Amino acid sequence: MSLCDLMQNLHGKVVLITGGTTGIGLAAAKAFVASGAKVVVAARNAEQGAAAESQLRALGDAVFHACDVIDPLSVAALVSFTIEHFGQLDAAVNSAACDTRPIPTHEMSFEDASKTVSTDVLGVFNCMKYQIEAMLRLGGGTIVNVSSVNGLSGVPTAAIYSAAKHAVIGLTRSTAKEYIGRGIRINAVCPGATETPRRERRTAHLSEDQLLEHQAQLAQAIPIGRLAQAEEIANAILWLSSAASSYVVGHSLVVDGGLQA
Ligand SMILES: NC(=O)c1ccc[n+]([C@@H]2O[C@H](COP(=O)([O-])OP(=O)(O)OC[C@H]3O[C@@H](n4cnc5c(N)ncnc54)[C@H](O)[C@@H]3O)[C@@H](O)[C@H]2O)c1
């Protein structure tokens, strides 16, 4: 079978994407829908959810469902909704993460640290728990967790975020080994700096000149000379979710323009 045919096996598949209403999650949702998949996008904000749903419906079959990944009951309800609505769960992408800002570690509050760990680590755990439970019942599937290049090395002034993204890789590797024998293939993607609303919010306080300087400095530090577009991360997520990557298990796929090289 050709690579093209293997990628096309996403046609008709049911995909659940948390954090799917903006940024990398939304780009992945658009790519899945364009490949003929049926997609549920989930996040907390209903207004952003409605906007994402209407963009996705212009391309194919998709629906928004509100969910807070911190809340196990909310995640359980999301997985049940997906199965009731589309009759199956073939693939999941866990992209939700809370905003963080650079801060010296000794100045970070316990509350902010807890929020990051709750959303970025326990949120992924909650999602995987209910996704795996459903996939075991329904005949297997794939899961892609969105980590970060910051999950692969230390990052000054982002220690908790970096720790959380390291933990996502730990969750991915452990569950990948635990469930591959039962038909569930689990991997992670590690994006480098990517142009998304999250990044825009992080630099919102900068003047236009400061922003240009910041972007130029950032681009200079990346061998490819620019930030990623969300679609470039989405392509990696689609590949990891498709039969084209059938022998890839517990992997953390770096998509960073050469930053880690
Ligand atoms: N943008 C980057 O440069 C970059 C780099 C590396 C990794 N990442 C990772 O990519 C993922 C997506 O980030 P993005 O840049 O697209 O950001 P984004 O802010 O556009 O997307 C994050 C999404 O998560 C949702 N979300 C946040 N908290 C939630 C909660 N408790 N429950 C449900 N949904 C929640 C938000 O509503 C949003 O839809 C994150 O895991 C992030 O850590 C981003």
Side-chain angles (χ1 to χ4, degrees):
M1 208 181 273
S2 73
L3 184 63
C4 193
D5 289 339
L6 289 169
M7 289 294 290
Q8 276 171 3
N9 91 323
L10 291 170
H11 195 275
K13 293 276 157 68
V14 177
V15 185
L16 168 58
I17 306 179
T18 65
T21 59
T22 61
I24 291 169
L26 179 59
K30 285 179 179 168
F32 275 114
V33 170
S35 304
K38 301 168 192 175
V39 175
V40 176
V41 286
R44 288 171 305 181
N45 186 310
E47 213 173 299
Q48 280 177 358
E53 186 180 282
S54 78
Q55 287 182 51
L56 291 167
R57 286 214 172 146
L59 302 171
D61 207 352
V63 64
F64 165 71
H65 192 79
C67 173
D68 185 341
V69 297
I70 293 176
D71 176 5
L73 292 179
S74 179
V75 178
L78 169 68
V79 172
S80 297
F81 168 83
T82 304
I83 294 162
E84 276 159 28
H85 193 82
F86 284 131
Q88 181 53 289
L89 177 62
D90 298 296
V93 178
N94 297 317
S95 189
C98 67
D99 279 0
T100 54
R101 62 189 174 89
I103 184 167
T105 306
H106 68 281
E107 290 175 15
M108 190 173 205
S109 69
F110 176 78
E111 288 70 25
D112 284 347
S114 296
K115 193 177 166 209
T116 295
V117 172
S118 297
T119 311
D120 298 14
V121 183
L122 296 178
V124 172
F125 162 75
N126 285 335
C127 292
M128 281 208 292
K129 174 181 160 68
Y130 292 103
Q131 292 157 359
I132 289 169
E133 198 178 84
M135 287 175 180
L136 287 173
R137 268 190 290 117
L138 298 170
T142 62
I143 299 177
V144 178
N145 295 321
V146 182
S147 178
S148 167
V149 286
N150 292 351
L152 297 165
S153 54
V155 191
T157 72
I160 285 289
Y161 178 70
S162 173
K165 291 301 184 180
H166 275 79
V168 170
I169 291 174
L171 282 170
T172 302
R173 288 178 168 157
S174 302
T175 53
K177 284 183 169 176
E178 194 172 343
Y179 293 102
I180 189 60
R182 300 175 76 183
I184 305 174
R185 199 163 56 82
I186 303 173
N187 288 287
V189 67
C190 295
T194 307
E195 285 182 20
T196 66
R198 172 192 185 84
R199 189 157 287 279
E200 279 167 28
R201 286 192 296 275
R202 237 194 220 188
T203 52
H205 63 285
L206 300 177
S207 69
E208 209 170 309
D209 285 349
Q210 285 172 325
L211 183 62
L212 287 173
E213 197 187 320
H214 170 78
Q215 284 170 336
Q217 276 174 0
L218 200 56
Q220 212 175 17
I222 305 169
I224 202 171
R226 62 174 176 82
L227 275 69
Q229 296 299 309
E231 292 71 20
E232 294 176 292
I233 312 302
N235 289 340
I237 293 172
L238 250 72
W239 181 72
L240 286 172
S241 305
S242 79
S245 63
S246 53
Y247 205 65
V248 180
V249 177
H251 183 58
S252 300
L253 179 57
V254 175
V255 188
D256 71 348
L259 199 63
Q260 291 277 321

